[in-house]
Amino acid sequence: MSEVLVLGIGGAGCQLASKLHERLEVRAVAVNTDPEGLKHCGLQEQVLLDARAVTPGFQGNCAVRENAAEVVREAFLALVDEAEILVVTAGMGGVAGTQLAPLVVEYARARNMPVIAAVTLPFGFEGERRRELAMAGLSRLTRSADEMVVLDHAEEYKRAAKGSLVDYFEAVAETVAEQVGYRLHLLQ
């Protein structure tokens, strides 16, 4: 069996990575700019990145972007030595997942590493701007990843059985784990 590494990027990505680690019994690492988010993600392996690396000015300021890209590249290279397949999980529309996940996927592809990207899109109530950012991040990921798992909260929540938001997120994580497991089976 191939060595799989799951990188959960940002708050939502870390939560999804935790479920993949639990359900698929694969190595998973939480990567975030928020120390509180890392505390509550449930994964032992964690990388805390400097929040300045992904500030909103990241997209517009080339010097900041290149510095951030180098920090992310160094963190990525330190993690992937033994991995043969990379799974990147992230929530699109926020800062960390939207900006860092595409970079990580691009680095993996440069190493000829197969990549599965598993992402969520924002709820409708999170606003049009967040949706636009999510779609831009998704577009970048789609160009580089071998396989994509995309779950749109705006659509899925409408179809979900009535219950708590905690139950909904648990069901989402289970669905993503099932879909990623299927794709891993195909790649191995």
Short mmCIF file of all heavy atoms in Angstrom, two decimals, residues 4-56:
data_model
loop_
_atom_site.label_atom_id
_atom_site.label_comp_id
_atom_site.label_asym_id
_atom_site.label_seq_id
_atom_site.Cartn_x
_atom_site.Cartn_y
_atom_site.Cartn_z
N VAL A 4 0.41 7.39 2.37
CA VAL A 4 -0.48 8.52 2.16
C VAL A 4 -0.25 9.56 3.24
O VAL A 4 -0.11 9.22 4.41
CB VAL A 4 -1.96 8.07 2.19
CG1 VAL A 4 -2.91 9.25 2.07
CG2 VAL A 4 -2.23 7.05 1.09
N LEU A 5 -0.19 10.81 2.83
CA LEU A 5 -0.11 11.93 3.77
C LEU A 5 -1.31 12.83 3.52
O LEU A 5 -1.58 13.22 2.39
CB LEU A 5 1.17 12.73 3.56
CG LEU A 5 1.27 14.04 4.36
CD1 LEU A 5 1.30 13.77 5.86
CD2 LEU A 5 2.49 14.82 3.92
N VAL A 6 -2.03 13.14 4.59
CA VAL A 6 -3.15 14.08 4.52
C VAL A 6 -2.69 15.38 5.17
O VAL A 6 -2.23 15.36 6.32
CB VAL A 6 -4.40 13.55 5.26
CG1 VAL A 6 -5.51 14.60 5.23
CG2 VAL A 6 -4.87 12.25 4.65
N LEU A 7 -2.79 16.48 4.43
CA LEU A 7 -2.52 17.80 4.99
C LEU A 7 -3.83 18.54 5.09
O LEU A 7 -4.47 18.83 4.08
CB LEU A 7 -1.56 18.59 4.10
CG LEU A 7 -0.11 18.14 4.05
CD1 LEU A 7 0.70 19.07 3.17
CD2 LEU A 7 0.50 18.06 5.43
N GLY A 8 -4.25 18.83 6.31
CA GLY A 8 -5.45 19.63 6.55
C GLY A 8 -5.03 21.08 6.69
O GLY A 8 -4.26 21.42 7.59
N ILE A 9 -5.50 21.92 5.78
CA ILE A 9 -5.05 23.31 5.75
C ILE A 9 -6.19 24.23 6.15
O ILE A 9 -7.27 24.19 5.56
CB ILE A 9 -4.50 23.68 4.36
CG1 ILE A 9 -3.36 22.72 4.01
CG2 ILE A 9 -4.05 25.13 4.33
CD1 ILE A 9 -2.81 22.89 2.63
N GLY A 10 -5.95 25.07 7.16
CA GLY A 10 -6.98 25.96 7.67
C GLY A 10 -7.92 25.21 8.60
O GLY A 10 -7.82 23.99 8.78
N GLY A 11 -8.84 25.94 9.21
CA GLY A 11 -9.74 25.35 10.20
C GLY A 11 -10.57 24.19 9.67
O GLY A 11 -10.57 23.09 10.24
N ALA A 12 -11.28 24.40 8.58
CA ALA A 12 -12.11 23.33 8.01
C ALA A 12 -11.26 22.17 7.52
O ALA A 12 -11.60 21.01 7.72
CB ALA A 12 -12.97 23.88 6.87
N GLY A 13 -10.13 22.49 6.89
CA GLY A 13 -9.24 21.44 6.39
C GLY A 13 -8.69 20.57 7.50
O GLY A 13 -8.57 19.35 7.36
N CYS A 14 -8.37 21.19 8.63
CA CYS A 14 -7.85 20.42 9.78
C CYS A 14 -8.92 19.48 10.32
O CYS A 14 -8.61 18.34 10.68
CB CYS A 14 -7.35 21.37 10.86
SG CYS A 14 -5.83 22.26 10.40
N GLN A 15 -10.15 19.94 10.39
CA GLN A 15 -11.23 19.09 10.88
C GLN A 15 -11.45 17.89 9.93
O GLN A 15 -11.64 16.76 10.38
CB GLN A 15 -12.52 19.88 11.06
CG GLN A 15 -12.44 20.93 12.15
CD GLN A 15 -12.09 20.35 13.51
OE1 GLN A 15 -12.59 19.30 13.89
NE2 GLN A 15 -11.23 21.03 14.24
N LEU A 16 -11.42 18.15 8.64
CA LEU A 16 -11.57 17.07 7.67
C LEU A 16 -10.40 16.09 7.75
O LEU A 16 -10.58 14.87 7.67
CB LEU A 16 -11.70 17.62 6.25
CG LEU A 16 -13.00 18.37 5.94
CD1 LEU A 16 -12.90 19.04 4.57
CD2 LEU A 16 -14.20 17.45 6.01
N ALA A 17 -9.20 16.62 7.91
CA ALA A 17 -8.01 15.76 8.00
C ALA A 17 -8.10 14.86 9.24
O ALA A 17 -7.70 13.69 9.19
CB ALA A 17 -6.75 16.61 8.06
N SER A 18 -8.62 15.39 10.32
CA SER A 18 -8.78 14.61 11.53
C SER A 18 -9.71 13.41 11.29
O SER A 18 -9.44 12.29 11.72
CB SER A 18 -9.33 15.49 12.66
OG SER A 18 -9.47 14.76 13.84
N LYS A 19 -10.79 13.63 10.56
CA LYS A 19 -11.73 12.55 10.24
C LYS A 19 -11.07 11.52 9.32
O LYS A 19 -11.24 10.32 9.49
CB LYS A 19 -12.99 13.12 9.59
CG LYS A 19 -14.00 12.08 9.16
CD LYS A 19 -14.42 11.14 10.27
CE LYS A 19 -15.47 11.74 11.15
NZ LYS A 19 -16.00 10.79 12.15
N LEU A 20 -10.29 11.98 8.34
CA LEU A 20 -9.61 11.05 7.44
C LEU A 20 -8.60 10.21 8.22
O LEU A 20 -8.46 9.00 7.98
CB LEU A 20 -8.91 11.80 6.31
CG LEU A 20 -9.83 12.47 5.29
CD1 LEU A 20 -9.01 13.29 4.30
CD2 LEU A 20 -10.68 11.46 4.56
N HIS A 21 -7.89 10.83 9.12
CA HIS A 21 -6.92 10.12 9.96
C HIS A 21 -7.62 9.02 10.76
O HIS A 21 -7.15 7.88 10.81
CB HIS A 21 -6.23 11.12 10.89
CG HIS A 21 -5.35 10.50 11.91
ND1 HIS A 21 -4.15 9.89 11.60
CD2 HIS A 21 -5.49 10.40 13.25
CE1 HIS A 21 -3.60 9.44 12.71
NE2 HIS A 21 -4.40 9.73 13.73
N GLU A 22 -8.73 9.37 11.35
CA GLU A 22 -9.49 8.43 12.17
C GLU A 22 -10.10 7.31 11.34
O GLU A 22 -9.99 6.14 11.68
CB GLU A 22 -10.61 9.21 12.87
CG GLU A 22 -11.62 8.39 13.62
CD GLU A 22 -12.78 9.27 14.07
OE1 GLU A 22 -12.56 10.33 14.68
OE2 GLU A 22 -13.93 8.87 13.77
N ARG A 23 -10.71 7.65 10.24
CA ARG A 23 -11.47 6.67 9.46
C ARG A 23 -10.61 5.83 8.53
O ARG A 23 -10.85 4.64 8.36
CB ARG A 23 -12.54 7.41 8.66
CG ARG A 23 -13.47 6.49 7.91
CD ARG A 23 -14.90 6.95 8.03
NE ARG A 23 -15.83 6.05 7.42
CZ ARG A 23 -16.13 6.05 6.13
NH1 ARG A 23 -15.55 6.88 5.29
NH2 ARG A 23 -17.03 5.21 5.67
N LEU A 24 -9.60 6.45 7.90
CA LEU A 24 -8.78 5.74 6.92
C LEU A 24 -7.43 5.27 7.47
O LEU A 24 -6.66 4.63 6.76
CB LEU A 24 -8.55 6.62 5.69
CG LEU A 24 -9.80 7.16 4.99
CD1 LEU A 24 -9.42 8.08 3.85
CD2 LEU A 24 -10.68 6.02 4.51
N GLU A 25 -7.15 5.65 8.72
CA GLU A 25 -5.90 5.27 9.38
C GLU A 25 -4.67 5.66 8.55
O GLU A 25 -3.81 4.85 8.26
CB GLU A 25 -5.90 3.79 9.71
CG GLU A 25 -7.01 3.41 10.67
CD GLU A 25 -7.05 1.93 11.00
OE1 GLU A 25 -6.22 1.15 10.48
OE2 GLU A 25 -7.93 1.55 11.80
N VAL A 26 -4.63 6.93 8.17
CA VAL A 26 -3.51 7.48 7.42
C VAL A 26 -2.85 8.58 8.24
O VAL A 26 -3.45 9.12 9.17
CB VAL A 26 -3.97 8.05 6.05
CG1 VAL A 26 -4.47 6.94 5.14
CG2 VAL A 26 -5.04 9.11 6.23
N ARG A 27 -1.63 8.90 7.90
CA ARG A 27 -0.93 10.00 8.57
C ARG A 27 -1.61 11.30 8.17
O ARG A 27 -1.85 11.54 6.99
CB ARG A 27 0.54 10.01 8.15
CG ARG A 27 1.32 11.13 8.79
CD ARG A 27 2.77 11.09 8.39
NE ARG A 27 3.45 12.26 8.92
CZ ARG A 27 4.44 12.89 8.30
NH1 ARG A 27 4.89 12.43 7.14
NH2 ARG A 27 5.00 13.94 8.84
N ALA A 28 -1.87 12.14 9.16
CA ALA A 28 -2.51 13.43 8.88
C ALA A 28 -1.82 14.52 9.70
O ALA A 28 -1.49 14.32 10.87
CB ALA A 28 -4.00 13.38 9.21
N VAL A 29 -1.62 15.66 9.05
CA VAL A 29 -0.96 16.80 9.68
C VAL A 29 -1.86 18.02 9.52
O VAL A 29 -2.37 18.29 8.43
CB VAL A 29 0.41 17.09 9.02
CG1 VAL A 29 1.08 18.28 9.68
CG2 VAL A 29 1.30 15.85 9.09
N ALA A 30 -2.05 18.73 10.62
CA ALA A 30 -2.84 19.97 10.61
C ALA A 30 -1.91 21.14 10.33
O ALA A 30 -0.86 21.28 10.96
CB ALA A 30 -3.53 20.16 11.96
N VAL A 31 -2.29 21.97 9.36
CA VAL A 31 -1.51 23.16 9.00
C VAL A 31 -2.45 24.35 9.11
O VAL A 31 -3.49 24.39 8.44
CB VAL A 31 -0.96 23.05 7.56
CG1 VAL A 31 -0.18 24.30 7.19
CG2 VAL A 31 -0.12 21.79 7.39
N ASN A 32 -2.08 25.31 9.95
CA ASN A 32 -2.97 26.45 10.14
C ASN A 32 -2.18 27.67 10.59
O ASN A 32 -1.05 27.54 11.07
CB ASN A 32 -4.04 26.10 11.20
CG ASN A 32 -5.32 26.90 11.04
OD1 ASN A 32 -5.34 27.94 10.40
ND2 ASN A 32 -6.39 26.41 11.62
N THR A 33 -2.80 28.82 10.45
CA THR A 33 -2.22 30.06 10.95
C THR A 33 -2.84 30.44 12.30
O THR A 33 -2.44 31.41 12.90
CB THR A 33 -2.46 31.21 9.95
OG1 THR A 33 -3.86 31.34 9.74
CG2 THR A 33 -1.75 30.94 8.64
N ASP A 34 -3.81 29.66 12.74
CA ASP A 34 -4.54 29.94 13.98
C ASP A 34 -4.17 28.92 15.05
O ASP A 34 -4.55 27.75 14.96
CB ASP A 34 -6.04 29.89 13.69
CG ASP A 34 -6.89 30.07 14.93
OD1 ASP A 34 -6.37 30.54 15.96
OD2 ASP A 34 -8.09 29.74 14.87
N PRO A 35 -3.44 29.34 16.10
CA PRO A 35 -3.05 28.40 17.14
C PRO A 35 -4.25 27.78 17.87
O PRO A 35 -4.21 26.61 18.25
CB PRO A 35 -2.18 29.21 18.10
CG PRO A 35 -2.33 30.63 17.72
CD PRO A 35 -2.91 30.68 16.34
N GLU A 36 -5.32 28.54 18.04
CA GLU A 36 -6.53 28.00 18.69
C GLU A 36 -7.15 26.90 17.84
O GLU A 36 -7.62 25.90 18.36
CB GLU A 36 -7.55 29.11 18.95
CG GLU A 36 -7.24 29.97 20.14
CD GLU A 36 -7.17 29.18 21.44
OE1 GLU A 36 -8.12 28.42 21.76
OE2 GLU A 36 -6.15 29.31 22.14
N GLY A 37 -7.18 27.11 16.54
CA GLY A 37 -7.72 26.10 15.64
C GLY A 37 -6.93 24.81 15.72
O GLY A 37 -7.50 23.71 15.68
N LEU A 38 -5.62 24.91 15.84
CA LEU A 38 -4.78 23.71 15.95
C LEU A 38 -5.05 22.98 17.26
O LEU A 38 -5.06 21.75 17.30
CB LEU A 38 -3.30 24.09 15.86
CG LEU A 38 -2.80 24.46 14.47
CD1 LEU A 38 -1.35 24.92 14.53
CD2 LEU A 38 -2.94 23.30 13.50
N LYS A 39 -5.28 23.73 18.33
CA LYS A 39 -5.54 23.12 19.64
C LYS A 39 -6.74 22.19 19.60
O LYS A 39 -6.78 21.18 20.29
CB LYS A 39 -5.83 24.21 20.67
CG LYS A 39 -4.70 24.52 21.58
CD LYS A 39 -5.21 25.40 22.71
CE LYS A 39 -4.33 26.60 22.83
NZ LYS A 39 -4.72 27.49 23.90
N HIS A 40 -7.73 22.54 18.80
CA HIS A 40 -9.00 21.82 18.81
C HIS A 40 -9.19 20.88 17.62
O HIS A 40 -10.27 20.35 17.43
CB HIS A 40 -10.17 22.81 18.86
CG HIS A 40 -10.10 23.71 20.05
ND1 HIS A 40 -10.31 23.27 21.33
CD2 HIS A 40 -9.79 25.03 20.15
CE1 HIS A 40 -10.16 24.27 22.17
NE2 HIS A 40 -9.83 25.35 21.49
N CYS A 41 -8.15 20.65 16.83
CA CYS A 41 -8.34 19.86 15.61
C CYS A 41 -8.26 18.36 15.84
O CYS A 41 -8.73 17.59 15.01
CB CYS A 41 -7.36 20.28 14.53
SG CYS A 41 -5.70 19.66 14.79
N GLY A 42 -7.66 17.92 16.93
CA GLY A 42 -7.60 16.49 17.20
C GLY A 42 -6.44 15.75 16.57
O GLY A 42 -6.38 14.52 16.64
N LEU A 43 -5.53 16.45 15.92
CA LEU A 43 -4.36 15.80 15.32
C LEU A 43 -3.10 16.12 16.12
O LEU A 43 -2.92 17.25 16.57
CB LEU A 43 -4.17 16.27 13.87
CG LEU A 43 -5.24 15.83 12.89
CD1 LEU A 43 -5.02 16.50 11.53
CD2 LEU A 43 -5.24 14.32 12.73
N GLN A 44 -2.25 15.13 16.28
CA GLN A 44 -1.02 15.31 17.03
C GLN A 44 0.03 16.09 16.24
O GLN A 44 0.74 16.92 16.79
CB GLN A 44 -0.45 13.96 17.45
CG GLN A 44 -1.35 13.19 18.39
CD GLN A 44 -1.62 13.95 19.67
OE1 GLN A 44 -0.70 14.44 20.32
NE2 GLN A 44 -2.88 14.06 20.03
N GLU A 45 0.14 15.77 14.94
CA GLU A 45 1.13 16.47 14.11
C GLU A 45 0.52 17.78 13.63
O GLU A 45 -0.54 17.79 13.01
CB GLU A 45 1.52 15.62 12.90
CG GLU A 45 2.46 14.49 13.22
CD GLU A 45 2.99 13.85 11.97
OE1 GLU A 45 3.93 14.39 11.35
OE2 GLU A 45 2.44 12.79 11.59
N GLN A 46 1.23 18.87 13.92
CA GLN A 46 0.70 20.20 13.60
C GLN A 46 1.81 21.12 13.12
O GLN A 46 2.94 21.02 13.59
CB GLN A 46 0.04 20.82 14.83
CG GLN A 46 -1.09 20.00 15.39
CD GLN A 46 -1.67 20.60 16.65
OE1 GLN A 46 -1.16 21.56 17.22
NE2 GLN A 46 -2.80 20.06 17.08
N VAL A 47 1.46 22.00 12.20
CA VAL A 47 2.37 23.03 11.73
C VAL A 47 1.64 24.36 11.87
O VAL A 47 0.58 24.56 11.26
CB VAL A 47 2.78 22.81 10.26
CG1 VAL A 47 3.65 23.96 9.77
CG2 VAL A 47 3.50 21.48 10.09
N LEU A 48 2.21 25.25 12.67
CA LEU A 48 1.65 26.59 12.83
C LEU A 48 2.43 27.53 11.92
O LEU A 48 3.63 27.70 12.08
CB LEU A 48 1.74 27.05 14.28
CG LEU A 48 1.26 28.48 14.55
CD1 LEU A 48 -0.23 28.62 14.25
CD2 LEU A 48 1.55 28.86 16.00
N LEU A 49 1.73 28.11 10.95
CA LEU A 49 2.37 29.07 10.05
C LEU A 49 2.09 30.48 10.54
O LEU A 49 1.04 30.75 11.13
CB LEU A 49 1.82 28.91 8.63
CG LEU A 49 2.14 27.59 7.93
CD1 LEU A 49 1.43 27.54 6.58
CD2 LEU A 49 3.64 27.42 7.74
N ASP A 50 3.00 31.37 10.26
CA ASP A 50 2.84 32.77 10.62
C ASP A 50 1.64 33.34 9.88
O ASP A 50 1.57 33.26 8.65
CB ASP A 50 4.11 33.53 10.24
CG ASP A 50 4.12 34.96 10.73
OD1 ASP A 50 3.04 35.54 10.98
OD2 ASP A 50 5.23 35.51 10.85
N ALA A 51 0.69 33.91 10.60
CA ALA A 51 -0.53 34.45 9.99
C ALA A 51 -0.21 35.54 8.97
O ALA A 51 -0.98 35.75 8.02
CB ALA A 51 -1.47 34.99 11.06
N ARG A 52 0.91 36.22 9.12
CA ARG A 52 1.26 37.26 8.15
C ARG A 52 1.51 36.68 6.76
O ARG A 52 1.46 37.40 5.77
CB ARG A 52 2.49 38.03 8.62
CG ARG A 52 2.23 38.86 9.87
CD ARG A 52 3.48 39.46 10.37
NE ARG A 52 4.36 38.37 10.81
CZ ARG A 52 5.54 38.54 11.39
NH1 ARG A 52 6.00 39.74 11.59
NH2 ARG A 52 6.27 37.51 11.77
N ALA A 53 1.76 35.38 6.71
CA ALA A 53 2.02 34.72 5.42
C ALA A 53 0.79 34.69 4.54
O ALA A 53 0.89 34.56 3.33
CB ALA A 53 2.54 33.31 5.63
N VAL A 54 -0.38 34.80 5.14
CA VAL A 54 -1.61 34.69 4.35
C VAL A 54 -2.60 35.81 4.66
O VAL A 54 -3.80 35.62 4.60
CB VAL A 54 -2.31 33.33 4.56
CG1 VAL A 54 -1.51 32.22 3.93
CG2 VAL A 54 -2.56 33.06 6.02
N THR A 55 -2.10 36.97 4.96
CA THR A 55 -2.99 38.10 5.20
C THR A 55 -3.72 38.43 3.92
O THR A 55 -3.29 38.07 2.82
CB THR A 55 -2.21 39.33 5.67
OG1 THR A 55 -1.25 39.66 4.68
CG2 THR A 55 -1.52 39.09 7.01
N PRO A 56 -4.85 39.16 4.01
CA PRO A 56 -5.57 39.52 2.80
C PRO A 56 -4.70 40.21 1.75
O PRO A 56 -4.95 40.11 0.57
CB PRO A 56 -6.68 40.43 3.31
CG PRO A 56 -6.94 39.93 4.69
CD PRO A 56 -5.57 39.53 5.22
#
